[in-house]
Amino acid sequence: MHPIDLTIIAVYLLMLIGIGLYMQRRAGRNIDSFFLGNNKIPWWALGASGMASNLDVSGTMIIAALIYALGAQGFYIEIRGGVVLLLAFFMIFMGKWNRRAAVMTLAEWMEYRFGSGRQGQAARLLAALANLAFAIATVTYFAQGAGIFLGRLLGISPDLAAIGMIALASIYTIASGLYGVVYTDVFQGFLVFGAIVYTVYLAMTSYTLPAEFAISVPMGGGEFQELMTTREAWLSIIPDWQKELPGTYSQYSLFGIGILFYLFRSCIDGMSGTGGYIIQRFYAAKDEREAGLLSAFWIVLLSLRWPFVMAIAIMGVSFGISNETIANPEEVLPVVLIELIPVGLKGLLVAGLIAAAMSTFDSVVNAGAAYWTRDIYQRFLNTDASEKRLVWHSRASSAVIVVIGMASTYAFESLNDIWGWLTMGLGAGLLVPQFIRWYWWRFNGYGYAGGTFIGMSLAVVQHMIAPELAEIWTFTLIGSVTFVACIVISLLTEPTSADVLRTFYTETKPFGYWGAVRERLDDAILAPIHAENRRNILGILLAVPWQLTLFLTTMTFVTKEWTTFAWLLATCSALTVGLYFVWFRHLSTSEADADDVSPSS
């Protein structure tokens, strides 16, 4: 890279570390400040931080690869995770359900749901271990993507590039906790926005696709195959029911069934209330009203990701027309930056993408450290630990997560390999018990703990003995066995205390199979719960298509398919009006006066 670009990147990194270290004093007061910012961080900052964390380099490289290889329809593959469809569920009801618990972590929530006895403790311990494992696996995913991206740009070893970026991000993450994570993310968000605007402008004004052109797909074993496609087919957003795809992409050949499966999986994910850094933003919200607002803002900002990756894919195809076709789809992003972006602007774009990468990393590590500090060390090993000692463990566990995650990068062949296992393998094992806990009164802590353990074990065994198993069958196998285990273990063990269930139901107000709890409640208590449940169900039926059409609308703007763009814009606008009446109007009135509660220390 040119010295000007390197200088821009260096100045940016120094500013980023400075902001993080400035926040160190606030974060070091206690673990509430380190992990939740004392519930004083405004909703817009939490939403902007969430968007910056989602716009990671690894994920962006995968999405750009799928759109490069499959065209606009590559969007539908990323319903499995990259669309982050669960945000629609958090916006309508899952955000406020979680915030009402007033806890610090998903694992701590288990004692709120199952009680503080043995079953609650078992569920809390397994939830903590599972989310620690997921955080480490996510760091692995981040490290490999960052290594490929920076290694290609700087002409150095991917391992060295990953170590350098992670070392820099670790400085402010370990020092400043959630305060540093959120406000460095907000700062990074400005750079990311600038990078998106420039890239979209460049693609729309300087590049036009011909009637026919070549793309490339991976065949496995480091081999790739060129395929010819047409502009019309590549830009079409109407999904094919079936595609003829060779190599590792052959798992997407049953395209229509795959889309329905990914949609089903993402809806289950949204209804389960995810863990990790996403849920941490909602625990950190001031109240349940702000939990809803930050979700909506997060979705709107995240819609900017899709015109960016479409622009990168268009530029990647154009580069292959005048030069050699880019063989590895996962290298489209770095190749475009190296070959097609001018000096100076290249430095700003790379700085913006490094910002996105580091924001993902810092969020994952900070959230992961909370499970060790709050749910294992403080809960089971040293209940009388001082705040100073707990903050020390927060920082030490952050460092350990980083080291183990880096050491695990050699267990996977590609980014898509890691992402597929995270979402469809390990994700399935964790997803099922997280889903059942909201909707069935008879599900207990032993069922959660046993189901989580069996699901995680199956995911690890599957990756060891059958890593080539298609994602749809991986998810179905692990999910089905885990579901049966959860039900059987719950029925074979004692139910959760009636008092605990009553408190959970009346405070959280979930819908589902809660008849045994409802029959003990007065109609005066049940009436407002039923009214809220009806709004939630109607709201989610609007919110899911709203998020999908919003993202497709911003993406088709770049392709200049104006008829399609107009239809999508009209649909998105109609859904927005519906959400105003079903969701926002009630959020602005009935939830504005929600009590401001903070987690107990």
Side-chain angles (χ1 to χ4, degrees):
M1 292 182 69
H2 194 279
I4 293 176
D5 295 318
L6 294 174
T7 300
I8 291 171
I9 295 170
V11 170
Y12 154 74
L13 292 175
L14 290 174
M15 292 175 65
L16 192 66
I17 293 172
I19 293 172
L21 294 178
Y22 175 75
M23 295 292 175
Q24 179 178 2
R25 186 174 179 181
R26 285 189 178 185
R29 295 170 183 167
N30 51 53
I31 59 170
D32 276 353
S33 61
F34 193 89
F35 291 122
L36 298 183
N38 286 320
N39 296 99
K40 294 181 179 178
I41 301 175
W43 62 268
W44 58 265
L46 290 169
S49 171
M51 177 271 185
S53 297
N54 281 139
L55 196 69
D56 63 295
V57 164
S58 300
T60 304
M61 289 172 69
I62 289 176
I63 295 171
L66 288 169
I67 293 179
Y68 168 80
L70 304 178
Q73 293 182 42
F75 168 87
Y76 298 108
I77 298 295
E78 275 309 305
I79 291 177
R80 66 183 178 178
V83 173
V84 202
L85 194 58
L86 59 88
L87 288 175
F89 293 84
F90 274 86
M91 183 179 80
I92 300 300
F93 60 86
M94 193 52 70
K96 64 184 177 184
W97 284 6
N98 276 284
R99 183 62 185 86
R100 286 168 180 172
V103 296
M104 184 177 292
T105 67
L106 173 66
E108 183 180 356
W109 183 96
M110 295 302 159
E111 293 195 21
Y112 172 68
R113 167 65 174 83
F114 301 118
S116 58
R118 288 185 178 180
Q119 63 170 273
Q121 292 179 34
R124 183 171 185 173
L125 180 60
L126 262 295
L129 292 173
N131 280 279
L132 268 173
F134 197 84
I136 291 169
T138 306
V139 169
T140 300
Y141 165 71
F142 163 85
Q144 190 166 80
I148 294 172
F149 175 72
L150 276 184
R152 181 67 185 263
L153 282 176
L154 302 179
I156 60 177
S157 162
D159 290 341
L160 182 61
I163 291 171
M165 181 184 288
I166 286 175
L168 288 172
S170 297
I171 292 174
Y172 67 82
T173 303
I174 294 172
S176 57
L178 190 66
Y179 273 115
V181 168
V182 169
Y183 286 107
T184 53
D185 283 354
V186 171
F187 168 71
Q188 290 166 150
F190 288 104
L191 272 180
V192 172
F193 180 74
I196 290 172
V197 170
Y198 173 74
T199 306
V200 168
Y201 171 78
L202 189 64
M204 293 184 70
T205 57
S206 303
Y207 297 93
T208 301
L209 297 177
E212 293 186 358
F213 52 85
I215 49 89
S216 177
V217 296
M219 300 299 292
E223 300 294 326
F224 303 91
Q225 178 180 325
E226 281 193 18
L227 299 175
M228 294 301 297
T229 187
T230 65
R231 181 181 186 278
E232 181 181 5
W234 196 81
L235 294 179
S236 173
I237 66 166
I238 300 175
D240 300 323
W241 184 249
Q242 190 170 347
K243 289 181 177 291
E244 296 294 331
L245 296 171
T248 59
Y249 280 12
S250 62
Q251 64 178 311
Y252 307 130
S253 293
L254 297 175
F255 199 68
I257 294 175
I259 293 172
L260 294 175
F261 173 75
Y262 290 138
L263 182 61
F264 169 77
R265 189 261 180 217
S266 289
C267 288
I268 295 296
D269 192 14
M271 293 181 69
S272 72
T274 184
Y277 71 87
I278 290 180
I279 194 65
Q280 189 184 24
R281 299 300 195 282
F282 295 91
Y283 291 149
K286 292 181 180 179
D287 51 48
E288 64 182 67
R289 170 181 164 78
E290 296 214 350
L293 292 175
L294 79 88
S295 307
F297 191 53
W298 191 333
I299 292 171
V300 171
L301 291 179
L302 193 60
S303 69
L304 299 175
R305 180 185 212 179
W306 297 95
F308 175 72
V309 292
M310 175 54 78
I312 291 294
I314 289 172
M315 294 167 71
V317 169
S318 300
F319 176 81
I321 293 170
S322 55
N323 299 276
E324 185 177 352
T325 301
I326 301 174
N328 185 356
E330 290 185 2
E331 292 188 354
V332 168
L333 178 61
V335 167
V336 166
L337 289 176
I338 292 170
E339 303 294 341
L340 301 180
I341 305 298
V343 172
L345 292 172
K346 182 184 298 182
L348 289 174
L349 275 173
V350 172
L353 289 169
I354 290 176
M358 294 173 77
S359 67
T360 307
F361 169 82
D362 58 33
S363 297
V364 169
V365 172
N366 182 262
Y371 291 104
W372 165 260
T373 306
R374 180 75 163 188
D375 300 304
I376 298 178
Y377 180 73
Q378 186 184 27
R379 180 64 179 86
F380 296 106
L381 302 179
N382 189 355
T383 56
D384 298 322
S386 65
E387 291 293 343
K388 182 177 180 180
R389 186 71 175 171
L390 292 173
V391 171
W392 183 89
H393 270 269
S394 303
R395 290 170 173 157
S397 57
S398 297
V400 172
I401 289 170
V402 171
V403 172
I404 298 176
M406 283 291 296
S408 303
T409 56
Y410 301 102
F412 299 89
E413 291 185 3
S414 69
L415 288 176
N416 201 47
D417 184 26
I418 302 176
W419 186 237
W421 185 72
L422 275 174
T423 56
M424 297 297 166
L426 183 60
L430 303 181
L431 187 63
V432 172
Q434 288 197 63
F435 174 82
I436 301 174
R437 66 194 168 113
W438 294 104
Y439 306 104
W440 186 37
W441 74 273
R442 187 58 181 80
F443 189 52
N444 62 16
Y446 298 121
Y448 181 91
T452 299
F453 178 78
I454 290 171
M456 288 179 62
S457 300
L458 285 173
V460 172
V461 170
Q462 175 270 321
H463 182 70
M464 292 175 62
I465 66 175
E468 73 285 351
L469 190 64
E471 291 176 359
I472 185 171
W473 298 118
T474 298
F475 183 87
T476 302
L477 174 64
I478 296 175
S480 298
V481 175
T482 304
F483 179 80
V484 172
C486 288
I487 301 301
V488 171
I489 294 172
S490 292
L491 293 176
L492 292 176
T493 52
E494 62 183 353
T496 303
S497 162
D499 291 338
V500 171
L501 290 174
R502 176 189 171 94
T503 299
F504 172 77
Y505 180 78
T506 55
E507 291 182 355
T508 304
K509 304 177 179 65
F511 47 81
Y513 296 98
W514 291 92
V517 179
R518 292 191 190 109
E519 66 185 17
R520 297 186 178 94
L521 300 175
D522 296 334
D523 290 341
I525 296 175
L526 291 174
I529 295 177
H530 290 326
E532 181 178 313
N533 290 165
R534 287 191 292 269
R535 289 198 304 271
N536 290 341
I537 293 171
L538 180 57
I540 200 60
L541 293 176
L542 296 173
V544 168
W546 172 74
Q547 183 174 340
L548 291 173
T549 55
L550 174 64
F551 290 4
L552 285 169
T553 300
T554 59
M555 193 168 71
T556 53
F557 176 79
V558 182
T559 66
K560 294 182 283 189
E561 297 289 295
W562 299 121
T563 301
T564 302
F565 173 77
W567 279 107
L568 286 169
L569 181 61
T571 303
C572 186
S573 300
L575 291 167
T576 302
V577 172
L579 283 171
Y580 170 78
F581 287 104
V582 173
W583 170 72
F584 183 77
R585 189 175 61 172
H586 296 281
L587 179 73
S588 302
T589 55
S590 63
E591 294 176 18
D593 299 324
D595 292 334
D596 188 2
V597 287
S598 298
S600 56
S601 299

